[in-house]
Amino acid sequence: MLPQVFHPSTYSYPPLYRANQQPTSDSLYGQGIAPGPPVSQAHPHQHQHTPPQPNLPQPSAANLIHRTASTRRQSEQDVNRFANVMLESLANEIYSLCKDQHGCRYLQKKLEERNPTYLNMIFNETYPHVVELMIDPFGNYLCQKLLEHAGDEQRTILVETAAPQLVKIALNQHGTRALQKMIEHVSTPEQIRLIVNALKTNVVELIQDLNGNHVIQKCLNRLSTDDAQFIFDAVSANCVAVGTHRHGCCVLQRCIDHASDAQKQQLVNEITTHAFTLVQDPFGNYVTQYVLDLCDAKYSDPLIRRFSGNVCTLSMQKFSSNVIEKCIRIAEPSTRKILIDELLSSVFLEKLLRDSFANYVIQTAIDYADPQTRQVLVDVIRPILPSIRNTPYGRRIQSKIIGPPAVAASGSANGNGSSSPFQGYARSSANGNGGTNMLSRRIQGLEIQDSNAMQAVNGTSGSAYTTSSSGQQSNAQHQSQSQTQNAQHHQRQQAQHHQGHPHYFTHQSVHQPLRNAFTNGDFTGYNYM
């Protein structure tokens, strides 16, 4: 059977549609068939044909230039159409101009002229529409300028007109700016009363809103502590809802900043009551830390004691472990001892040492414990060290328990008083019998763990590079002074290039005296660095 050959005359092209036009069932598949993706019934060997797509005309460079020039001319005309216009000629048109970009700018310039006639004309035509204009993309700028230049009576009228819709305005991305400007320029007790009464029933909703929280913060900045009491009451009554919110935790911190002593105590008492919940929250933990950062024991000590009995549980959590660390650092000595004693008495101490968060709490406890408590903590941790030594956390804890490397005395065991790359690491007795402990030494940034190296270091007390006192050395072993200096310089360069690799000094190509110096641990007279 011969394969079918595609012929253009036998192909039925589907109708073309615009990008945003959906084909109907009648036009695509026939009457009564629902539209859907076509199913190909072609034979595998049959040629598939894609219908040609229409070639839409592309705009030429000349057309683009013409459009750009036309847009620029139109913009210039819009700007210049108010160049020589008198405001009096625009009577009864000011409201519509407020919503126009260039008309709004024209009106703002007229207000900046501080002409009472112009101010009264603009005010009389706009104040009935102040709610609509405050949430308008262009009109909100005129409202801000009007609130700035209006008198007390006019400003009071604007506040009264907008008061029933202040919450709606505060939640709007344009209205929040106009409302913040209104709060910034309030000048009479009547205006403050109107704003407070309009907002006090929706404080939590505004705090949790992306736009509304800025209105509450503006009230904290601008109003007195007595006038802003409605905010402190609402936050105290909803401490968890506010403190665990992305925006609310920031507002709660600002409340602490602007509070009087009585208001601050009111907030801290609520935070302390709900501390266990807040400390485990991604946002609430910052609230508890903010109270701790006040550095006032009358606020921090009751909060820290609130965690007593749950220190181990909180130490193993991501957010609360940071708070427990801070508690250990800033707590009173008696309170700090309570926290550390709870860590010591835990049957899960090894689990705490292995935990990715709790190990930092243990490290902080080691750093800030009093000497007696630290010794008890070290004695409890020391038997667990062998099982955690190879973990990243275990190495840090081990370094804190063992302490920094001991600084060597000015006179070495061989009595020559010279410095050595091993200076600063504790050595055992000169007879080499005390070198059974693990030696952790760093040579040019490379960390080596070697339990037998201590004996090798302490096995020889004499200098490896000093010449023999007998003077019986052959001429073949000695070269001229210049050749010896060149050889030493070459070895120094090699030592620097190899960055202290442990096998470098034992390689056969390395100069024998330098290999001996490395083995004996005595680099007297050979400063290879």
Side-chain angles (χ1 to χ4, degrees):
M1 181 178 179
L2 295 177
Q4 296 181 2
V5 180
F6 170 78
H7 195 277
S9 61
T10 63
Y11 185 82
S12 177
Y13 291 92
L16 298 178
Y17 300 93
R18 294 191 181 94
N20 60 350
Q21 179 182 356
Q22 296 296 329
T24 61
S25 58
D26 295 340
S27 61
L28 188 59
Y29 298 117
Q31 183 70 27
I33 301 179
V39 180
S40 175
Q41 301 292 338
H43 191 274
H45 298 288
Q46 184 176 354
H47 295 284
Q48 299 294 321
H49 179 76
T50 302
Q53 298 296 324
N55 294 324
L56 299 177
Q58 297 295 329
S60 62
N63 289 337
L64 292 175
I65 295 174
H66 175 72
R67 292 179 185 177
T68 304
S70 177
T71 302
R72 186 181 297 112
R73 285 194 300 269
Q74 182 65 35
S75 177
E76 291 176 355
Q77 291 175 2
D78 292 338
V79 173
N80 295 331
R81 65 191 172 111
F82 297 103
N84 298 315
V85 177
M86 300 297 293
L87 185 62
E88 292 82 354
S89 64
L90 299 175
N92 301 323
E93 298 181 14
I94 293 178
Y95 167 66
S96 60
L97 291 178
C98 293
K99 297 184 176 183
D100 177 78
Q101 179 181 5
H102 303 287
C104 180
R105 290 180 179 177
Y106 168 77
L107 296 176
Q108 291 180 61
K109 291 181 179 179
K110 291 300 179 181
L111 290 174
E112 292 174 353
E113 295 179 7
R114 299 183 181 275
N115 188 323
T117 303
Y118 294 163
L119 174 62
N120 292 331
M121 285 185 61
I122 297 174
F123 173 80
N124 291 332
E125 292 195 32
T126 55
Y127 84 84
H129 312 282
V130 65
V131 175
E132 182 181 356
L133 293 177
M134 289 180 75
I135 61 176
D136 186 79
F138 302 118
N140 78 90
Y141 294 106
L142 179 67
C143 291
Q144 294 182 50
K145 189 68 68 174
L146 186 59
L147 288 164
E148 182 179 347
H149 293 281
D152 290 343
E153 294 182 0
Q154 293 174 329
R155 194 177 294 114
T156 302
I157 294 174
L158 292 173
V159 174
E160 286 180 344
T161 306
Q165 301 292 328
L166 281 189
V167 175
K168 173 185 175 182
I169 295 171
L171 299 176
N172 183 269
Q173 61 176 336
H174 306 298
T176 182
R177 299 179 181 274
L179 182 51
Q180 291 176 59
K181 181 68 72 171
M182 178 181 288
I183 297 171
E184 183 178 343
H185 287 91
V186 290
S187 54
T188 65
E190 177 64 18
Q191 297 170 14
I192 296 174
R193 184 187 62 80
L194 290 169
I195 292 176
V196 170
N197 291 337
L199 300 179
K200 66 180 181 181
T201 57
N202 300 90
V203 173
V204 176
E205 179 185 1
L206 293 173
I207 287 176
Q208 296 178 341
D209 185 74
L210 176 64
N211 302 309
N213 78 88
H214 297 289
V215 173
I216 298 299
Q217 293 189 54
K218 179 62 71 172
C219 290
L220 292 171
N221 290 326
R222 182 64 180 82
L223 303 182
S224 66
T225 54
D226 293 336
D227 292 331
Q229 182 63 43
F230 74 101
I231 299 176
F232 296 102
D233 292 339
V235 171
S236 298
N238 300 272
C239 181
V240 175
V242 173
T244 57
H245 191 271
R246 179 185 300 272
H247 307 305
C249 68
C250 299
V251 176
L252 184 48
Q253 294 176 51
R254 300 291 79 74
C255 288
I256 296 175
D257 290 339
H258 294 89
S260 62
D261 291 339
Q263 292 168 338
K264 186 179 296 184
Q265 189 66 60
Q266 177 187 1
L267 294 173
V268 173
N269 288 343
E270 292 297 325
I271 293 171
T272 303
T273 302
H274 304 283
F276 188 73
T277 302
L278 293 172
V279 77
Q280 300 177 73
D281 186 77
F283 305 110
N285 77 90
Y286 292 109
V287 176
T288 57
Q289 291 189 58
Y290 202 78
V291 175
L292 296 175
D293 289 334
L294 295 176
C295 299
D296 193 335
K298 70 177 181 181
Y299 299 133
S300 61
D301 200 62
L303 177 63
I304 296 173
R305 290 178 179 270
R306 191 75 178 178
F307 303 136
S308 179
N310 299 284
V311 175
C312 296
T313 302
L314 298 176
S315 297
M316 291 188 291
Q317 298 184 24
K318 179 178 180 180
F319 306 111
S320 56
S321 62
N322 294 321
V323 182
I324 297 300
E325 282 189 72
K326 181 167 288 189
C327 290
I328 294 175
R329 285 195 294 266
I330 72 164
E332 296 294 311
S334 59
T335 308
R336 183 186 296 119
K337 191 174 187 304
I338 294 175
L339 300 178
I340 299 178
D341 286 345
E342 187 172 336
L343 295 173
L344 285 171
S345 61
S346 174
V347 296
F348 305 105
L349 183 58
E350 183 173 351
K351 184 178 180 180
L352 294 176
L353 291 170
R354 291 179 177 273
D355 188 78
S356 58
F357 303 116
N359 78 90
Y360 292 104
V361 178
I362 299 295
Q363 294 181 50
T364 304
I366 295 173
D367 291 337
Y368 287 86
D370 60 85
Q372 183 179 359
T373 306
R374 185 184 189 278
Q375 186 59 47
V376 176
L377 186 60
V378 169
D379 292 340
V380 174
I381 295 176
R382 194 182 299 275
I384 309 175
L385 280 180
S387 63
I388 65 171
R389 179 177 291 132
N390 294 327
T391 65
Y393 320 120
R395 285 195 289 268
R396 296 193 192 101
I397 294 173
Q398 179 181 356
S399 66
K400 289 181 179 293
I401 291 178
I402 298 177
V407 180
S410 58
S412 62
N414 58 17
N416 53 32
S418 63
S419 61
S420 165
F422 294 96
Q423 182 177 1
Y425 293 91
R427 298 187 182 185
S428 59
S429 59
N431 58 15
N433 295 328
T436 59
N437 293 331
M438 179 72 71
L439 173 63
S440 175
R441 64 181 180 267
R442 182 177 297 277
I443 302 176
Q444 294 290 328
L446 182 63
E447 201 172 320
I448 308 171
Q449 301 289 340
D450 185 3
S451 60
N452 298 321
M454 183 70 78
Q455 296 177 357
V457 170
N458 297 303
T460 303
S461 60
S463 174
Y465 202 73
T466 54
T467 59
S468 174
S469 59
S470 63
Q472 299 177 355
Q473 294 179 340
S474 63
N475 294 332
Q477 294 176 334
H478 285 279
Q479 298 177 355
S480 64
Q481 183 177 2
S482 60
Q483 292 176 337
T484 302
Q485 293 176 351
N486 291 337
Q488 293 181 2
H489 177 69
H490 176 67
Q491 298 299 331
R492 285 196 297 270
Q493 288 183 331
Q494 285 188 325
Q496 294 174 355
H497 289 318
H498 285 78
Q499 294 295 317
H501 194 280
H503 299 298
Y504 166 70
F505 295 99
T506 60
H507 197 273
Q508 294 298 325
S509 62
V510 180
H511 197 43
Q512 181 63 37
L514 184 58
R515 284 195 284 128
N516 293 340
F518 175 79
T519 304
N520 299 331
D522 190 349
F523 286 75
T524 305
Y526 194 86
N527 185 15
Y528 71 94
M529 294 304 297

